[in-house]
Amino acid sequence: MQSTGNTILITGGGSGIGRGLAEALQAQGNHVIIAGRRKALLEEVVSANPGMKSLVLDIEDRTTIRALAGRIASEHPQLNVLINNAGIMRAEDLKDQQDDLSDAEAIVTTNLLGPIRLTAALLPLLRKHEHSTIINVSSGLAFVPLAFTPTYCATKAALHSYTQSLRYQLRDTTTEVLEIIPPYVQTELMDGAEDPRAMPLKAYIAETMELLKTQPTPAEICVKNVHGLRFAAEEGRYDGTFQGLNGAMAGRFE
Ligand SMILES: NC(=O)c1ccc[n+]([C@@H]2O[C@H](COP(=O)([O-])OP(=O)(O)OC[C@H]3O[C@@H](n4cnc5c(N)ncnc54)[C@H](OP(=O)(O)O)[C@@H]3O)[C@@H](O)[C@H]2O)c1
């Protein structure tokens, strides 16, 4: 990935990891457009970062995604980087579920269908450029699930798989496909902003930005704190890691 001179769309760029990446990428000399549902929040971030742009997007809504892609093609045709970062995480008790499974459906639509739809809508534009990059934000929980958030972990495992297929299908094109795999980071996601077990956001963004600058950029952006989850299976530690993770987090969910 080029370090500077990109025009970048970051979904969920109004808060947490998305905002952190948006600000760091802009500081590095890129044009950044953030997208999300909360217009006031987006405007606040834009006014704190002159030059940044924002677009309202509900990634659960396929018509909004198409409209956004149309606006980008006419207003920001130079867009060459898409960061699929927007996501939601909810606890689910599989022994006592909602009749309509509305949480599970929202999680799948936001975390998996959303990136699939937005990538499809923007790929023709991205492919017009000499260099373009698609970055999907998955999670360490794609590799070892936190059982209290089953659909969330399933969507992240699916996004990891989809990302590999996308990378393979685009291997002979000028569009590279990367995956950011965060560990537990202090953000609003499931009220983790104050949890001392989570990695401070600032440190997470700084380490991620260093990895993104590496040339050639690694296909998977894994800060050290996520290695325990990401490589649990490869290193023969899966069962112990699964038990340890779910035991350690049980207090938060049971
Ligand atoms: N924090 C962690 O521990 C952690 C670990 C691994 C992976 N991740 C992943 O990192 C990504 C960013 O999460 P975060 O931790 O930074 O949490 P966050 O602060 O809650 O950010 C999530 C962002 O997604 C946006 N979003 C949610 N639903 C949306 C929708 N329907 N349409 C458009 N935007 C939507 C939200 O904006 P609006 O509400 O304004 O729409 C929000 O800005 C997520 O994909 C998450 O799964 C986080």
Side-chain angles (χ1 to χ4, degrees), residues 120-172:
L122 289 173
L123 191 55
L125 176 65
L126 293 169
R127 292 200 55 199
K128 286 185 184 155
H129 297 289
E130 204 177 324
H131 300 288
S132 58
T133 308
I134 298 167
I135 305 180
N136 290 334
V137 179
S138 65
S139 169
L141 299 179
F143 300 89
V144 181
L146 178 64
F148 307 100
T149 58
T151 305
Y152 174 82
C153 298
T155 60
K156 294 298 185 176
L159 187 62
H160 170 65
S161 170
Y162 190 83
T163 304
Q164 289 179 293
S165 301
L166 182 67
R167 182 180 302 122
Y168 189 78
Q169 289 202 19
L170 295 177
R171 70 193 180 287
D172 295 326

Side-chain angles (χ1 to χ4, degrees), residues 1-253:
M1 182 186 173
Q2 301 177 155
S3 294
T4 60
N6 300 296
T7 300
I8 304 174
L9 173 67
I10 308 184
T11 66
S15 65
I17 293 171
R19 178 175 181 168
L21 289 174
E23 292 178 337
L25 287 164
Q26 173 165 294
Q28 207 171 271
N30 297 288
H31 295 287
V32 177
I33 306 157
I34 55 173
R37 293 166 299 182
R38 288 170 287 173
K39 193 165 189 276
L41 179 67
L42 295 173
E43 282 168 359
E44 192 187 306
V45 176
V46 164
S47 69
N49 296 278
M52 200 176 275
K53 300 274 184 319
S54 71
L55 291 169
V56 172
L57 166 73
D58 182 354
I59 201 129
E60 277 198 73
D61 177 359
R62 75 177 83 189
T63 52
T64 321
I65 292 176
R66 283 203 210 104
L68 177 105
R71 267 190 78 177
I72 293 210
S74 60
E75 294 170 24
H76 305 283
Q78 67 282 26
L79 186 97
N80 71 324
V81 178
L82 165 64
I83 306 184
N84 282 308
N85 164 78
I88 54 171
M89 181 178 194
R90 292 181 193 160
E92 299 165 274
D93 181 349
L94 299 181
K95 299 190 296 302
D96 181 21
Q97 299 205 64
Q98 300 153 315
D99 286 342
D100 61 0
L101 295 178
S102 57
D103 279 344
E105 203 169 304
I107 296 164
V108 173
T109 312
T110 304
N111 296 3
L112 181 59
L113 260 182
I116 291 173
R117 285 175 171 149
L118 187 58
T119 301
L122 289 173
L123 191 55
L125 176 65
L126 293 169
R127 292 200 55 199
K128 286 185 184 155
H129 297 289
E130 204 177 324
H131 300 288
S132 58
T133 308
I134 298 167
I135 305 180
N136 290 334
V137 179
S138 65
S139 169
L141 299 179
F143 300 89
V144 181
L146 178 64
F148 307 100
T149 58
T151 305
Y152 174 82
C153 298
T155 60
K156 294 298 185 176
L159 187 62
H160 170 65
S161 170
Y162 190 83
T163 304
Q164 289 179 293
S165 301
L166 182 67
R167 182 180 302 122
Y168 189 78
Q169 289 202 19
L170 295 177
R171 70 193 180 287
D172 295 326
T173 74
T174 55
T175 306
E176 70 180 324
V177 178
L178 308 178
E179 180 177 352
I180 290 183
I181 306 175
Y184 187 19
V185 178
Q186 289 176 341
T187 71
E188 291 165 17
L189 196 75
M190 289 203 76
D191 302 323
E194 308 288 331
D195 192 335
R197 291 171 294 190
M199 185 171 181
L201 180 61
K202 214 171 152 193
Y204 174 68
I205 296 296
E207 196 176 336
T208 296
M209 290 302 295
E210 280 310 306
L211 292 169
L212 279 172
K213 278 187 219 159
T214 316
Q215 294 298 334
T217 314
E220 294 184 359
I221 305 296
C222 298
V223 299
K224 286 196 190 68
N225 277 13
V226 84
H227 287 199
L229 294 176
R230 171 62 188 93
F231 302 113
E234 281 90 334
E235 294 171 0
R237 301 180 279 100
Y238 186 87
D239 290 346
T241 306
F242 181 93
Q243 295 302 335
L245 169 74
N246 283 287
M249 296 300 276
R252 245 195 101 175
F253 297 99

